[in-house]
Amino acid sequence: CYINDAFGTAHRAHASTALIAKYFPNDKMFGYLMENETKAVDNVLKNAKRPFTAIIGGSKVSSKLEVLKNLVEKVDNLIIGGGMGYTFIKAQGGHIGNSLHEDELIPDALEIMAKAKARGVNLSTSVQTLVADDFSAQANTQLVASFNIPDGWEGVDAGPKTLENWKKIILDSKTIVWNGPVGVFEIEKFAKGTLQIAEDLAEATAKGAYTLVGGGDSVAAVTQMGYADKVSYVSTGGGAMLEALEGKELPGVAAIKE
């Protein structure tokens, strides 16, 4: 018999994860990890209880564009944080100073926002931002309105007013998927927002919500806060989880289900 327990490579059509399964038409199955990962994905993409909220962070829209396009068709609330949020803020006419953004993806951001509006999805970006005058732990910082970041300053974390807005959305949700930090998590003084999201998800889980956490920094945040066992599921799938959130069929999963 053939047992596949490698969800982390399920998005690749490797001989050892997909092709070999064809030689075991009647005796193939998921291992425990693979089964749990696929159930977690199904819980948010196919069986979500509503309100359904997705929190997508990270540095670039380009790395999660297909995730955003897929989830805006499924969720009730779409929270966009981290560096990718500034492309959306600039697309709305905001002044973002030196914050990370991708001008070439502004049309995509506008398309996602238009789709959210048409579907009645609450798309939430930062309203208050912690900004720094340098990308370092020694930088000077201040809190400013996210749509009016001064020249020479860049957004590095979500501000308290933003986190207050997002907490309300999270605690009102029944299903939540989180992938990607909402600040520069690798620098401790800019990690407060991401750690707060982890705390909010633990609280939402305690209230009965189903919470799925994926992505390196998101997983690190819930682990660092001691909340790994206080959310519903922590995925270690990496790229496979991202492709699943894009709505793609994973070859390693499909091979077992055939």
Side-chain angles (χ1 to χ4, degrees):
C1 65
Y2 172 68
I3 300 172
N4 185 355
D5 205 24
F7 184 77
T9 57
H11 59 312
R12 306 294 185 210
H14 291 160
S16 59
T17 58
L19 300 181
I20 194 173
K22 297 182 184 298
Y23 294 96
F24 297 86
N26 302 313
D27 299 295
K28 55 186 176 182
M29 63 202 76
F30 293 132
Y32 291 125
L33 174 64
M34 179 75 102
E35 182 178 34
N36 288 335
E37 293 274 356
T38 54
K39 281 182 178 178
V41 171
D42 285 347
N43 278 338
V44 297
L45 295 185
K46 297 179 181 179
N47 309 313
K49 293 181 179 178
R50 297 188 178 277
F52 175 18
T53 296
I55 308 162
I56 306 299
S59 58
K60 294 184 177 181
V61 176
S62 53
S63 64
K64 294 178 182 173
L65 180 60
E66 296 307 315
V67 172
L68 294 171
K69 286 183 175 181
N70 186 46
L71 289 177
V72 77
E73 300 278 1
K74 300 179 182 296
V75 299
D76 302 295
N77 303 291
L78 180 57
I79 294 173
I80 301 177
M84 65 170 56
Y86 302 110
T87 297
F88 283 81
I89 291 170
K90 186 173 182 180
Q92 296 173 75
H95 187 85
I96 60 171
N98 291 8
S99 301
L100 181 67
H101 64 285
E102 296 168 285
D103 283 335
E104 68 278 11
L105 291 181
I106 284 179
D108 295 282
L110 289 170
E111 178 187 341
I112 290 167
M113 286 188 288
K115 193 165 288 185
K117 184 176 181 180
R119 290 197 64 256
V121 173
N122 173 30
L123 190 152
S124 180
T125 55
S126 174
V127 296
Q128 184 191 48
T129 298
L130 180 71
V131 297
D133 60 1
D134 187 36
F135 195 79
S136 72
Q138 291 73 42
N140 297 305
T141 61
Q142 61 175 321
L143 287 169
V144 301
S146 300
F147 280 68
N148 194 22
I149 297 175
D151 291 334
W153 295 75
E154 60 184 308
V156 291
D157 199 6
K161 291 180 181 178
T162 298
L163 295 170
E164 185 179 334
N165 288 347
W166 290 350
K167 180 170 186 171
K168 185 178 187 306
I169 294 170
I170 290 167
L171 295 185
D172 285 343
S173 301
K174 295 296 184 185
T175 304
I176 307 157
V177 57
W178 176 30
N179 186 286
V182 299
V184 185
F185 182 70
E186 60 269 28
I187 297 177
E188 185 177 353
K189 66 189 293 186
F190 306 148
K192 182 177 179 181
T194 301
L195 296 175
Q196 182 64 54
I197 296 291
E199 184 174 319
D200 295 344
L201 259 67
E203 187 174 344
T205 309
K207 288 181 61 179
Y210 182 86
T211 53
L212 169 60
V213 180
D217 286 334
S218 305
V219 172
V222 295
T223 303
Q224 182 176 323
M225 294 290 285
Y227 293 150
D229 60 349
K230 294 182 180 180
V231 296
S232 303
Y233 193 76
V234 177
S235 172
T236 57
M241 174 59 68
L242 268 185
E243 292 201 15
L245 293 179
E246 290 173 7
K248 294 180 179 177
E249 183 176 56
L250 306 182
V253 173
I256 299 297
K257 289 184 175 180
E258 284 178 355

